[in-house]
Amino acid sequence: MRWWLVCTCVVACTPQPTAEYPGPTYAPPSMAPAMYSATEAGTVVDRKTDFAFDGGRIEIEMRLDGNRVVEVARSRYAVPIVMQWSVGELVNLEPIGPVSGAIYLPAADKPNGVGGAVVLTSYALRIPDAAFNRKLRTHARFGDPQARPEPYPYRLPYQAGKTFTVLQGFHGQFSHRGSNEYAVDFDCPVATSVLAARPGVVVAANAAAQGSGTTSEFLDYARTNFVLILHDDGTLGEYMHLAPSGVRVSIGQRVERGDELALSGNTGYSSTPHLHFQVMTAGSDGLSALSFPFELAVAPNQVEAPVQGRAYPSWE
Ligand SMILES: [Zn+2]
């Protein structure tokens, strides 16, 4: 049998929704729109890695089974993911299933572990034993789209005695819209110790990014250093723009309120050193995140939503 395969994955991890993809429909695993359900059929003829950070990656396999080709995705993160995908520029492939969609990838058993495989789609070879080809585009978001927050008094994410001002609060005009609507930015100088605002488990992180800017290239998730904490209610605490090599926790580690997570920085889509914090999960389209309003324990008996322009001394 002769075959060759060339495929291109484009991961455009922009925090803001774009109009690049037509609106897909979220399909829970039990309703996955796959005409072909065998995730282990045939032989792997291509394997790609996407959305790779500390804690895991997404793997996408093309498997050849007779005259069938099947696309299988799998996550190795210990947190669910919603992935939007589309295929195009098909060569010698007749789609049997959909050519685009948004799919739920279940969490792996542990960080960098083995997650359940999900069929994206399948094709029939138009000409058996001839070359085939496709281009695949993906975009992924961490989180279970059905997670919803329990009320929690988040602590100020920096050490007692330090005071920082909220540069941008909920609905902030610079960048707190769409996926980041309910976020807070504190004006921490670079290398400020960032503390856990709430207990949870470290499920993903990036410490490899360098530099910052406000051009669109910096919207790519990989351009920002971050720590992602999975809370007990299934929501995620996202600490962003951290210093290069500034992550101070291990993947899989349980952290308690006030534990040091990282050193703040100025990486990614940012115009000044600061710490961005939000409580979020994946949107059902795999393109957007869903952020949630939250309240901070700003004083021993005072819990309130962060106010832009206000200075908050940490007291805990
Ligand atoms: Zn922000």
Side-chain angles (χ1 to χ4, degrees), residues 1-315:
M1 181 185 303
R2 289 178 300 110
W3 53 266
W4 56 261
L5 181 70
V6 180
C7 37
T8 304
C9 290
V10 179
V11 185
C13 306
T14 57
Q16 300 294 329
T18 69
E20 190 177 349
Y21 294 84
T25 306
Y26 168 63
S30 60
M31 298 168 58
M35 302 296 289
Y36 193 96
S37 62
T39 57
E40 301 295 331
T43 54
V44 176
V45 294
D46 183 64
R47 181 179 285 126
K48 288 212 153 306
T49 294
D50 266 354
F51 205 58
F53 299 106
D54 295 338
R57 61 191 181 275
I58 295 172
E59 292 172 349
I60 298 170
E61 293 173 353
M62 284 186 99
R63 305 185 71 98
L64 181 64
D65 182 17
N67 286 332
R68 278 286 194 141
V69 176
V70 57
E71 304 255 18
V72 176
R74 177 186 291 109
S75 167
R76 293 190 175 273
Y77 287 100
V79 58
I81 283 175
V82 181
M83 185 180 78
Q84 183 171 120
W85 63 276
S86 64
V87 291
E89 300 181 43
L90 305 179
V91 175
N92 193 28
L93 295 172
E94 179 66 37
I96 298 170
V99 294
S100 67
I103 199 147
Y104 177 92
L105 300 178
D109 54 340
K110 60 185 183 215
N112 299 300
V114 180
V118 178
V119 171
L120 300 181
T121 193
S122 61
Y123 319 92
L125 286 181
R126 288 192 168 114
I127 305 169
D129 295 336
F132 58 91
N133 190 5
R134 60 87 166 96
K135 281 193 178 175
L136 171 69
R137 299 170 69 87
T138 64
H139 186 286
R141 285 285 190 180
F142 289 110
D144 180 337
Q146 300 189 341
R148 292 295 179 273
E150 310 261 335
Y152 183 85
Y154 291 82
R155 72 156 284 159
L156 289 161
Y158 42 87
Q159 291 170 330
K162 301 255 185 199
T163 298
F164 296 115
T165 299
V166 172
L167 291 173
Q168 202 182 190
F170 297 168
H171 320 293
Q173 289 208 335
F174 174 66
S175 62
H176 290 180
R177 293 158 181 273
S179 298
N180 306 317
E181 187 172 350
Y182 296 102
V184 62
D185 291 340
F186 292 102
D187 69 340
C188 309
V190 169
T192 299
S193 181
V194 174
L195 310 184
R198 177 178 179 176
V201 176
V202 183
V203 288
N206 187 33
Q210 304 272 344
S212 66
T214 54
T215 49
S216 60
E217 72 205 75
F218 288 100
L219 290 169
D220 189 324
Y221 213 52
R223 299 301 299 265
T224 295
N225 291 323
F226 63 87
V227 169
L228 203 63
I229 304 290
L230 178 61
H231 302 143
D232 291 344
D233 60 12
T235 62
L236 295 161
E238 190 176 51
Y239 303 76
M240 295 188 77
H241 310 300
L242 306 173
S245 305
V247 173
R248 291 289 180 267
V249 284
S250 306
I251 300 296
Q253 181 184 338
R254 170 89 190 175
V255 295
E256 299 304 327
R257 181 185 179 98
D259 284 354
E260 185 182 53
L261 300 180
L263 300 179
S264 72
N266 186 31
T267 53
Y269 191 82
S270 173
S271 59
T272 187
H274 73 285
L275 171 67
H276 170 110
F277 173 71
Q278 69 184 53
V279 179
M280 46 80 70
T281 195
S284 59
D285 59 2
L287 194 57
S288 58
L290 184 61
S291 63
F292 301 107
F294 61 89
E295 293 188 316
L296 294 167
V298 298
N301 294 306
Q302 192 180 349
V303 175
E304 63 182 38
V307 177
Q308 189 162 317
R310 187 170 293 177
Y312 291 100
S314 183
W315 57 276

